[in-house]
Amino acid sequence: MKSLGIYIHWPWCKTICPYCDFNVRKLEDIDTSTWRKAYEKEIENISFFTNLKEVKSIYFGGGTPSLISADFIEKIINFINNNFSLSSNVEITIEANPSSLKYENLYNYKLAGINRVSLGVQSFKDTELKFLGRDHDSDQAKKAIKYIEKLFFKANLDIIYGMPDQKILTFKQDLREIMDFAQTLGHLSIYQLTIEPKTPFFKQLKSGKLNLPSDEKLSEMYFIIQEMSEKYKLPQYEISNHSTIGNESIHNLGYWRYNQYLGIGPGAHSRVSKNLNRMSLVQIKSPRKWLEAILKNTNGIEHREILSTNETAMEVLITGLRLKEFLPAKRFNKFSKLKLEEIIEIPLIKDLIKEGLIERKESKIRTSSEGKAVLDSILYRFDQVINSKH
Ligand code: SF4
């Protein structure tokens, strides 16, 4: 069954965290009913780009979508249902920040149709939360987890590691607490702190004010996470994602399996089928211009292009090799000129198998645990082969 996911991007946050490079803005005095109508109009506009009708997942991301009312969310879900049709086991996620969460809000989200919450906790240490510029503390996070646990079967805990001066010993202690909570919710997304250009942290790094852990230390932390998550029955199923059995994110699996998805909202991306290839659609990045364009009866699309087979082949690898499951040749070959069976016989790629970074089973491949830790260099070699630079 072909799977379609819909991503709704809400660009507003109460405060902007110094490490964040998502397309976000500080919350302004906005007219939410105008914004809701714009989302509805754009859902309709963009629905013509796909031939798929059944929606397997909806994801309200951002930004801080938990600043939106349950009524707004419910209307958007109903609108999607009227333009497509929601699968009987559709997964509908909302990203939430502990600071904007009350039991009552969560209860109303549930009534509105939300059945999964991704909670941006980032850390259970107040010093780290302060460093990250978060507007919640660990008590608020723990309270939010309790509420979510009571109301939802599926939920995720979002965590960041690799903070300045983080010691291995204390990291292990902190990780136990994180795993305890993640086990309760059934899912953990744990990302290494990365310093992106144009963020306040980037400036601090350049001026020598951020003392980040070395690559060796980060790699040690990565393997500690893998080991501990196995013990807690939260095995890795994607580089940064862990879950108990059956609690994987359906929406994100859609990206990693290179399924079609529609992204609606400022700066959101889509991948849709176009003949035998994939088309990329990118929405206007500026929230104000995005809204204006839609209200002027055009649409929110800034850029559209049919991707070349080399581009799609690389995208299948970039996404699929993040997963623990094998990447089947059938999926890859659909989007590539060179067959996967041919590629894995080329010495540059064969070496990856010999080095234990890529595992092969018949005509399927996946990255080993060691391979996942050096995915960029693996992809670099595939890129050389696919773009005939070898
Ligand atoms: S709350 Fe999330 S989306 Fe908003 S600024 Fe912070 S990291 Fe970015």
Side-chain angles (χ1 to χ4, degrees), residues 9-25 61-65 95 97 120 122 132-135 158 160:
H9 185 76
W10 177 257
W12 309 107
C13 287
K14 263 199 224 159
T15 53
I16 305 297
C17 308
Y19 59 92
C20 182
D21 80 328
F22 299 139
N23 188 33
V24 293
R25 303 286 187 282
T64 309
E95 283 179 354
N97 275 354
Q122 315 314 349
L132 291 170
R134 304 293 302 195
D135 63 353
D158 238 351
I160 293 177

Side-chain angles (χ1 to χ4, degrees), residues 188-234:
L188 171 69
S189 297
I190 182 159
Y191 294 95
Q192 184 191 312
L193 176 66
T194 46
I195 308 298
E196 305 292 348
K198 296 187 189 151
T199 60
F201 272 6
F202 189 75
K203 279 187 208 133
Q204 287 184 34
L205 185 71
K206 288 282 147 206
S207 59
K209 287 185 194 144
L210 275 189
N211 181 24
L212 292 176
S214 64
D215 285 350
E216 291 72 33
K217 205 167 173 188
L218 287 170
S219 164
E220 199 180 339
M221 287 176 176
Y222 171 81
F223 286 108
I224 290 170
I225 294 168
Q226 307 322 317
E227 208 186 306
M228 207 181 281
S229 67
E230 288 287 336
K231 281 192 194 138
Y232 276 79
K233 307 235 176 314
L234 280 163

Side-chain angles (χ1 to χ4, degrees), residues 150-162:
K150 271 193 193 148
L151 290 167
F152 296 92
F153 287 116
K154 285 186 94 176
N156 169 50
L157 194 62
D158 238 351
I159 294 289
I160 293 177
Y161 74 98

Side-chain angles (χ1 to χ4, degrees), residues 62-114:
T64 309
S66 54
L67 294 172
I68 315 174
S69 72
D71 177 59
F72 185 122
I73 298 280
E74 187 176 8
K75 287 191 168 121
I76 296 286
I77 294 172
N78 288 341
F79 195 83
I80 293 173
N81 197 21
N82 292 339
N83 279 268
F84 297 89
S85 92
L86 301 186
S87 138
S88 57
N89 55 354
V90 63
E91 176 191 271
I92 309 183
T93 305
I94 190 165
E95 283 179 354
N97 275 354
S99 62
S100 58
L101 270 197
K102 294 197 181 91
Y103 185 84
E104 195 192 344
N105 301 133
L106 284 165
Y107 183 75
N108 289 334
Y109 284 146
K110 189 176 172 167
L111 294 182
I114 296 287

Side-chain angles (χ1 to χ4, degrees), residues 309-322:
T309 42
N310 283 2
E311 284 171 322
T312 51
M314 277 313 293
E315 285 196 346
V316 173
L317 291 168
I318 290 166
T319 49
L321 290 180
R322 297 185 65 87

